[in-house]
Amino acid sequence: KAGVTQTPRYLIKTRGQQVTLSCSPISGHRSVSWYQQTPGQGLQFLFEYFSETQRNKGNFPGRFSGRQFSNSRSEMNVSTLELGDSALYLCASSPGHSTGELFFGEGSRLTVL
Amino acid sequence: AQRVTQPEKLLSVFKGAPVELKCNYSYSGSPELFWYVQYSRQRLQLLLRHISRESIKGFTADLNKGETSFHLKKPFAQEEDSAMYYCALSGSGSARQLTFGSGTQLTVLP
């Protein structure tokens, strides 16, 4: 099976812009989770989607949003970018019926200038 | 609120020596605990979970509810064990998402 695929792998934006990141889960997986990884804060949970519904949400401002499509692919959007949004954004998928075993993508590295 | 603490950012041991990576957690209910590992230039991946009570690559971890700990141990470290290790906790209900610790970078010296 192909692994979790994230695009783009790298991107550079300026403050105030918005960005959309994409994640294709492993075939058959219905749950997609997003994490932000920074040197200072480590891995922080953003949100989880299951069958097109947000099932869980972390403590991030409303500028961070996401959605999931009927084919389980997911996107996350960050609007009005700030310098502090520079991070590696990781997507992970799982079958959805149990917790814990997440299959991670390689991440999208966002740099905000 | 759920919280995972890994007190050591860096840990170095010599090949063949025992290794223990510490993990403490805070959660009011019954958590599920996991260890994830990230080898150089590879994706983050599950190493083991407490519910399975299995040994993976010689690593074991025992959930100690009294001490709220889930330390990862290996009796004889190998150079290929060098990696970043993350302890993670999953709660129940609205807290079912994985909460990760800050990670411990393990270096096994020759």
Side-chain angles (χ1 to χ4, degrees), chain A residues 3-5 31 35 37 39 42-43 45 48 55-58 88 90 96-106, chain B residues 9 32 34 36 38 41-46 49 84 86 88 90-102:
Chain A
V4 176
T5 305
S31 169
Y35 286 82
Q37 186 175 32
L43 279 156
F45 172 73
E48 181 205 1
R55 190 157 69 171
N56 245 318
K57 189 177 189 308
L88 181 67
L90 291 171
H97 48 72
S98 63
T99 60
E101 182 158 18
L102 298 182
F103 296 82
F104 282 85
E106 294 178 291
Chain B
K9 280 190 188 296
E32 286 189 63
F34 308 84
Y36 275 75
Q38 187 166 28
R41 287 187 285 278
Q42 292 189 28
R43 303 174 186 214
L44 191 57
Q45 60 187 286
L46 178 68
R49 67 182 83 191
M84 189 72 163
Y86 293 94
S90 174
S92 58
S94 61
R96 63 191 302 284
Q97 76 274 8
L98 272 185
T99 297
F100 286 85
S102 53

Side-chain angles (χ1 to χ4, degrees), chain B residues 12-17 77-82 106-110:
Chain B
S12 295
V13 299
F14 285 102
K15 178 182 170 182
Q78 302 300 314
E79 288 181 70
E80 55 265 30
D81 296 329
S82 295
L106 173 66
T107 302
V108 180
L109 303 166

Side-chain angles (χ1 to χ4, degrees), chain A residues 34 44-48 54-62 64, chain B residues 94 97:
Chain A
W34 288 90
Q44 291 191 287
F45 172 73
L46 280 155
F47 25 65
E48 181 205 1
Q54 189 180 83
R55 190 157 69 171
N56 245 318
K57 189 177 189 308
N59 293 325
F60 277 81
F64 292 80
Chain B
S94 61
Q97 76 274 8

